[in-house]
């Protein structure tokens, strides 16, 4: 028996035949979805999480309804048949109007068009009753996309301003999507396990990062301060757990996706979510007819939107066993620079009369690679000892958060190569994972002093100096294609193109990519990836000035649309203060 299945030996719900709750939504894709995702992100950053964040942007077509496991296939067939009837009849574009009140903001569907959508929901209800013998209640209230609700009143101006920035007339393919959830946890708070915890007492719950915990407010009355009582999604077991080991998650993170359909596709059957980059990584699992807990388990990603994959064990195991992480792009600025700390004439501070490298401060490296005329340190400064420490701290944090990195790309600047090397060292991957040096990731060349680019060290020389560099990698944008004093538009275009090419090259062989480059890279490599237009050069500079050494961001691919969105990084931020040079003679011997 596998360790994961063994963990369910004591699960009280293993033989529980409870049906799941299903719901039917319309979900936007395309340009409008990009705008809504941006609103979701910005509203969360600006005002914190509100109730709308528990579920992705959607229009509710029906109330939650029950469906037994052995009827799930028929239910999916009912949805497919209804969509086929409605192809060519779905209203497009869907007119939306912004509405705000003291504690609610939403986009409402124009009434006549809403009546058409309700007729589709009614047709699905009829078909679901006929094929799956379930009762579906179409949504009778005004159809709308909820943007925010149940928020503090002082957040209204900020949220309203963000909502007014949504261009509701943008193109959109509305997808009809079917989800289900575990009925036992419908009124529970969903929490994500952040750190591992091994129980110290019999009444405590083991925590595994990546698992989810369901917590009911009703169960918290007898818990001690700093502890909560919850139930694990992966094992079905309940117990006490330390509150600071978990974080808020969205309710829909634990839902099961059963398929999506476009009203505008003319194909006989929609492509699978995986083929279209939609809902990538979600597992659908259930029990077949006459199955029992002794049957052999089967797990699989969705192959077709309406082909449900089964698991003969029980409902709780679904996401814990085979859910694959979304693709994530991490972008990180390099560590502290020698020329910034010690000034532009730093080279004269660490060279003796014979031209040998001499360390004159504890924050200077004990040695530098390729010293002695072979390295253009004047134009390509290394990082300090503290810069190396910063980078290693980030790597250690990534290791502790159980974040995996499949590929590392870095700018050819030595400070970026050194930073990437130390991050890998902190992750204990420096002997296994090789960096790909990509000139296309270099910063805006307008910021380089003089009329020429630095003479960067070649990958082969870096490898000879014991850097973990992939010497077989062929750059997407070779050094010969870079020009000094390029325009802002050229830099933004270059950064966006090289990022897209990197993600495209890594698509089939890895989930997570780390780019180690410059302060400007955090903005230039992610903004257009999210479907957002570039800022003006002036605003861009203001953003870049706020990004510290080892500034770190995460951009996650949205499986249902193929677009990307900034999300909370898996590690804490790294903050440090300025530390001026200390000369004990000048300070302590003053009269």
């Amino acid at each position: 028996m596998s360790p994961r299945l063994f963990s369910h030996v004591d699960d009280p719900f293993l033989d529980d035949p409870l049906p799941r709750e299903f719901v039917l939504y319309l979900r936007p894709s395309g340009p409008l979805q990009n705008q809504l995702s941006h609103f979701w992100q910005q509203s969360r950053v600006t005002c914190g999480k509100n109730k709308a964040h528990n579920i992705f942007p959607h229009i509710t077509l029906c109330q939650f309804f029950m469906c037994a496991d052995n009827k799930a296939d028929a239910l999916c067939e009912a949805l497919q048949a209804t969509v086929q009837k409605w192809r060519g009849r779905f209203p497009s574009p869907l007119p939306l109007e912004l509405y705000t009140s003291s504690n609610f903001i939403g986009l409402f569907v124009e009434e006549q068009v809403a009546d058409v959508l309700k007729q589709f929901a009614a047709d699905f209800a009829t078909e679901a009753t006929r094929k799956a013998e379930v009762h579906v209640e179409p949504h009778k209230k005004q159809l709308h996309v909820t943007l925010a609700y149940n928020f503090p009143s002082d957040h209204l101006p900020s949220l309203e301003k963000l909502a007014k920035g949504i261009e509701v007339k943008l193109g959109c393919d509305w997808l009809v999507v079917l989800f289900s959830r575990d009925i036992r946890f419908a009124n529970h708070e969903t929490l994500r396990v952040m750190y591992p915890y091994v129980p110290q007492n019999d009444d405590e719950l083991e925590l595994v990062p990546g698992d989810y915990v369901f917590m009911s407010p009703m169960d918290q009355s007898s818990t001690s301060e700093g502890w909560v009582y919850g139930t694990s999604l992966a094992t079905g077991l309940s117990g006490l757990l330390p509150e600071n080991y978990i974080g808020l998650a969205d309710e829909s993170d634990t839902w099961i996706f059963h398929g999506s359909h476009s009203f505008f596709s003319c194909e006989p059957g929609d492509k699978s979510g995986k083929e279209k980059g939609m809902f990538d990584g979600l597992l659908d699992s259930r029990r077949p007819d006459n199955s029992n807990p002794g049957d052999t388990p089967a797990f699989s990603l969705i192959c077709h939107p309406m082909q449900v994959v089964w698991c003969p064990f029980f409902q709780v195991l679904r996401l814990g066993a085979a859910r694959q992480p979304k693709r994530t792009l991490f972008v990180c600025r390099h560590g502290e620079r020698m020329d910034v700390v010690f000034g532009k004439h730093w080279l004269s501070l660490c060279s003796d009369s014979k031209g040998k490298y001499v360390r004159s401060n504890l924050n200077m490296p004990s040695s530098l690679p390729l010293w002695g005329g072979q390295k253009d340190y004047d134009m390509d400064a290394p990082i300090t000892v503290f810069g190396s420490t910063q980078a290693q701290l980030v790597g250690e944090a990534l290791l502790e958060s159980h974040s995996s990195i499949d590929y590392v790309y870095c700018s050819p600047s030595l400070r970026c190569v050194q930073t990437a090397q130390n991050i890998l060292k902190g992750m204990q991957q420096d002997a296994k994972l090789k960096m790909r040096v990509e000139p296309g990731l270099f910063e805006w060349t307008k910021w380089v002093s003089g009329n020429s680019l630095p003479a960067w060290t070649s990958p082969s020389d870096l490898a000879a100096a014991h850097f973990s560099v992939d010497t077989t990698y062929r750059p997407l944008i070779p050094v010969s294609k870079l020009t000094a004093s390029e325009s802002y538009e050229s830099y933004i275009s270059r950064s966006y193109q090289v990022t897209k090419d990197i993600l495209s090259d890594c698509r089939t062989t890895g989930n997570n990519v780390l780019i180690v480059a410059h302060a400007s890279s955090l903005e230039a490599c992610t903004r257009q990836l999210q479907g957002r237009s570039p800022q003006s050069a002036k605003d861009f500079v203001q953003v870049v000035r706020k990004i510290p050494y080892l500034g770190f961001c995460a951009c996650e691919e949205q499986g249902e649309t193929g677009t990307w969105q900034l999300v909370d990084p898996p590690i804490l931020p790294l903050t440090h203060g300025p530390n001026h040079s200390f000369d004990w003679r000048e300070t302590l011997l003053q009269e």
Side-chain angles (χ1 to χ4, degrees):
M1 181 180 289
S2 74
R4 181 169 292 279
L5 298 179
F6 183 76
S7 69
H8 291 275
V9 168
D10 298 319
D11 182 357
F13 301 109
L14 189 62
D15 297 314
D16 198 330
L18 282 174
R20 293 181 66 80
E21 279 192 321
F22 285 73
V23 70
L24 191 66
Y25 288 152
L26 277 180
R27 188 165 188 185
S29 68
L32 179 59
Q33 165 63 12
N34 294 340
Q35 293 260 330
L36 292 174
S37 295
H38 177 62
F39 173 85
W40 236 244
Q41 159 82 20
Q42 292 299 107
S43 63
R44 202 162 190 165
V45 170
T46 304
C47 302
K49 184 176 180 179
N50 63 67
K51 287 291 186 180
H53 287 120
N54 272 326
I55 307 175
F56 42 78
H58 67 278
I59 295 174
T60 302
L61 293 179
C62 69
Q63 307 298 324
F64 276 94
F65 61 93
M66 300 291 192
C67 181
D69 280 351
N70 60 2
K71 296 293 184 179
D73 278 336
L75 181 66
C76 293
E77 291 170 4
L79 177 59
Q80 186 176 33
T82 308
V83 171
Q84 289 284 11
K85 294 177 183 177
W86 274 78
R87 284 219 167 93
R89 297 167 56 194
F90 188 86
S92 179
L94 206 61
L96 299 171
E97 183 177 356
L98 178 65
Y99 170 82
T100 63
S101 67
S102 59
N103 64 353
F104 176 88
I105 300 177
L107 299 173
F108 279 76
V109 182
E110 190 271 327
E111 188 171 352
Q112 286 187 332
V113 176
D115 289 340
V116 177
L117 301 185
K118 290 178 181 179
Q119 184 57 54
F120 165 78
D123 287 355
F124 167 69
T126 301
E127 195 72 15
T129 300
R130 188 174 68 85
K131 288 182 177 292
E133 300 177 347
V134 297
H135 176 68
V136 179
E137 187 68 34
H139 197 64
K140 295 180 180 179
K141 297 180 180 179
Q142 289 180 289
L143 300 187
H144 62 275
V145 178
T146 300
L147 298 179
Y149 78 98
N150 199 12
F151 51 83
S153 58
D154 58 336
H155 289 173
L156 178 60
S158 297
L159 291 170
E160 190 172 23
K161 182 179 179 181
L162 288 171
K164 289 179 178 179
I166 299 173
E167 300 178 51
V168 295
K169 294 183 179 180
L170 286 175
C172 180
D173 182 2
W174 289 90
L175 306 173
V176 59
V177 293
L178 186 66
F179 284 91
S180 68
R181 67 182 183 183
D182 193 320
I183 185 176
R184 290 174 291 121
F185 305 118
N187 296 314
H188 288 54
E189 189 170 21
T190 305
L191 304 162
R192 180 184 289 106
V193 176
M194 308 299 291
Y195 308 105
Y197 178 74
V198 178
Q200 307 298 310
N201 299 290
D202 292 341
D203 60 350
E204 294 175 4
L205 184 67
E206 181 180 5
L207 299 181
V208 178
D211 187 15
Y212 290 88
V213 171
F214 298 108
M215 185 183 74
S216 170
M218 304 295 291
D219 296 333
Q220 309 310 314
S221 57
S222 60
T223 58
S224 303
E225 184 176 356
W227 290 78
V228 296
Y229 188 86
T231 302
S232 163
L233 170 69
T235 66
L237 301 177
S238 301
L240 294 169
L241 58 137
E243 190 172 13
N244 58 348
Y245 280 55
I246 52 179
L248 285 175
D250 298 337
E251 178 187 342
S252 57
D253 286 348
T254 59
W255 290 4
I256 301 301
F257 166 65
H258 293 267
S260 71
H261 287 280
S262 166
F263 287 99
F264 305 112
S265 171
C266 295
E267 298 176 3
D270 291 324
K271 292 182 179 179
S272 73
K274 188 168 179 60
E275 289 171 342
K276 295 172 71 175
M278 299 173 56
F279 305 100
D280 196 11
L282 284 177
L283 177 75
D284 198 338
S285 52
R286 64 181 188 87
R287 290 189 299 264
D289 291 335
N290 304 317
S291 66
N292 62 72
D295 290 333
T296 303
F299 298 109
S300 174
L301 289 176
I302 300 169
C303 298
H304 299 283
M306 298 303 143
Q307 178 180 334
V308 182
V309 183
W310 58 272
C311 165
F313 277 87
F314 66 116
Q315 283 114 333
V316 182
L317 187 57
R318 288 173 176 79
L319 291 180
R323 179 173 181 173
Q324 294 183 353
K326 293 181 179 180
R327 298 180 70 213
T328 305
L329 170 68
F330 300 119
V331 186
C332 183
R333 186 191 178 189
H334 58 76
E336 183 181 80
R337 295 172 54 159
M338 285 275 282
D339 55 344
V340 172
V341 174
F342 298 106
K344 63 180 181 179
H345 300 297
W346 67 274
L347 282 168
S348 62
L349 301 176
C350 50
S351 299
D352 64 13
S353 58
K354 297 181 180 179
K356 293 183 179 180
Y357 176 78
V358 177
R359 185 187 196 186
S360 61
N361 188 287
L362 286 177
N363 200 21
M364 290 181 175
S366 57
S367 63
L368 289 177
L370 305 175
W371 180 268
Q374 300 180 58
K375 184 76 185 72
D376 185 13
Y377 281 115
D378 191 43
M379 291 279 286
D380 190 21
I383 59 176
T384 62
V385 171
F386 189 66
S388 298
T389 303
Q390 289 173 314
Q392 194 163 335
L393 281 172
V394 167
E396 290 170 355
L398 287 169
L399 177 64
E400 290 173 2
S401 70
H402 299 275
S403 299
S404 62
I405 302 294
D406 300 297
Y407 290 96
V408 178
Y409 288 78
C410 63
S411 160
S413 295
L414 180 61
R415 56 188 180 273
C416 299
V417 175
Q418 289 178 308
T419 300
Q421 179 84 6
N422 280 283
I423 290 176
L424 289 176
K425 183 178 179 181
M427 293 187 71
Q428 301 177 12
Q429 293 290 314
D430 51 318
K432 302 176 184 177
L433 199 55
K434 293 186 179 295
M435 300 175 280
R436 293 178 170 182
V437 179
E438 175 52 60
L441 292 172
F442 185 60
E443 64 184 349
W444 188 5
T445 60
K446 179 183 176 181
W447 290 336
V448 178
S449 60
N451 295 318
S452 60
L453 298 176
W456 294 300
T457 306
S458 68
S460 58
D461 286 341
L462 287 170
H466 306 296
F467 285 98
S468 181
V469 173
D470 183 356
T471 56
T472 66
Y473 174 68
R474 295 295 174 261
L476 297 165
I477 300 179
V479 174
S480 60
K481 297 294 184 180
L482 299 181
T483 58
S485 301
E486 68 184 328
S487 67
Y488 170 66
E489 292 73 20
S490 176
Y491 167 65
I492 292 297
S493 176
R494 164 167 63 87
S495 298
Y496 178 41
Q497 186 61 52
V498 75
T499 304
K500 287 197 301 180
D501 290 345
I502 286 171
L503 293 172
S504 177
D505 287 353
C506 300
R507 172 173 290 279
T508 58
T509 52
N511 283 317
N512 296 338
V513 175
L514 170 64
I515 288 177
V516 181
H518 307 270
S520 56
S521 305
L522 275 73
E523 170 78 1
C525 293
T526 65
R527 187 177 182 87
Q528 289 174 275
L529 202 61
Q530 303 169 70
R532 301 163 63 194
S533 301
Q535 299 192 85
S536 67
K538 181 179 179 181
D539 290 339
F540 173 76
V541 171
Q542 294 304 314
V543 169
V544 172
R545 285 176 176 171
K546 298 176 183 177
I547 297 174
Y549 292 125
L550 269 300
F552 192 97
C553 72
C555 201
E556 190 176 82
E557 186 177 30
Q558 304 303 295
E560 60 273 21
T561 63
T563 57
W564 294 73
Q565 179 181 340
L566 285 173
V567 296
D568 289 332
I571 63 174
L572 297 173
L574 174 65
T575 304
H576 61 91
N579 184 26
H580 300 291
S581 178
F582 172 65
D583 188 320
W584 65 272
R585 290 186 179 86
E586 292 183 4
T587 304
L588 303 180
L589 293 182
Q590 286 185 352
E591 295 296 337

